[in-house]
Amino acid sequence: MKMVLAVVQDKDANRLANKFTDSDIRATKLTSSGGFLKEGNSTFIIGIEEERVAEVLQIIQEITHMRKQYLSPPISMDFSLNGASVYPIEVEVGGATVFVLPVENFFRF
Ligand code: 2BA
């Protein structure tokens, strides 16, 4: 068995959860937030047989989309700053950030 951990954007999270249900893939959705943007995202925990990992990855890839987001720099009172430094910074947010981990034991009580 493997554990897939997938950090995805909130915009894709409901569609991804529905697709997992339709595909008979058990998943847990956690509310999370990115350390860099400090904005909400969703983290899925999926315990899955090794032979179905490729299927899980394919679903994640199919549903999630990379998007551009803008990070506003903090407002500075230092008017000597170069004007360019006050513009928002563009970042490309995945898609999905995915980890596949080995599972030593799996219990359901
Ligand atoms: P955030 O940490 O909010 O990062 C959002 C996006 O900001 C990242 O997209 C990346 O394009 C950019 N970014 C992150 N850290 C940066 C830095 N130090 N300098 C410049 N740009 C930076 P993604 O790489 O697609 O990551 C999306 C979200 O996935 C992250 O949200 C975080 O929640 C998670 N994530 C990404 N890499 C991770 C890792 N190695 N471990 C755990 N979570 C990770």
Side-chain angles (χ1 to χ4, degrees):
M1 180 166 235
K2 296 280 185 184
M3 176 173 288
V4 179
L5 281 181
V7 185
V8 307
Q9 293 181 50
D10 281 340
K11 285 175 183 148
D12 297 320
N14 280 343
R15 249 170 32 96
L16 187 58
N18 291 339
K19 181 74 180 177
F20 284 145
T21 306
D22 293 346
S23 310
D24 197 24
I25 291 168
R26 289 175 189 228
T28 297
K29 180 163 99 59
L30 305 176
T31 300
S32 48
S33 56
F36 189 68
L37 293 179
K38 300 188 172 52
E39 285 187 3
N41 52 28
S42 295
T43 301
F44 285 82
I45 302 174
I46 304 128
I48 194 83
E49 299 78 25
E50 200 154 348
E51 55 274 20
R52 294 192 74 195
V53 169
E55 184 189 347
V56 170
L57 297 179
Q58 200 190 326
I59 288 172
I60 295 171
Q61 210 174 348
E62 183 187 303
I63 301 282
T64 64
H65 298 284
M66 184 168 273
R67 296 182 183 89
K68 289 189 169 120
Q69 270 183 241
Y70 295 88
L71 176 67
S72 301
I75 297 165
S76 171
M77 298 306 286
D78 182 356
F79 296 104
S80 64
L81 277 176
N82 177 343
S85 63
V86 298
Y87 290 120
I89 300 156
E90 182 183 281
V91 286
E92 281 213 322
V93 186
T97 300
V98 184
F99 305 87
V100 180
L101 313 170
V103 173
E104 196 170 306
N105 287 302
F106 169 65
F107 303 106
R108 289 175 77 208
F109 297 115

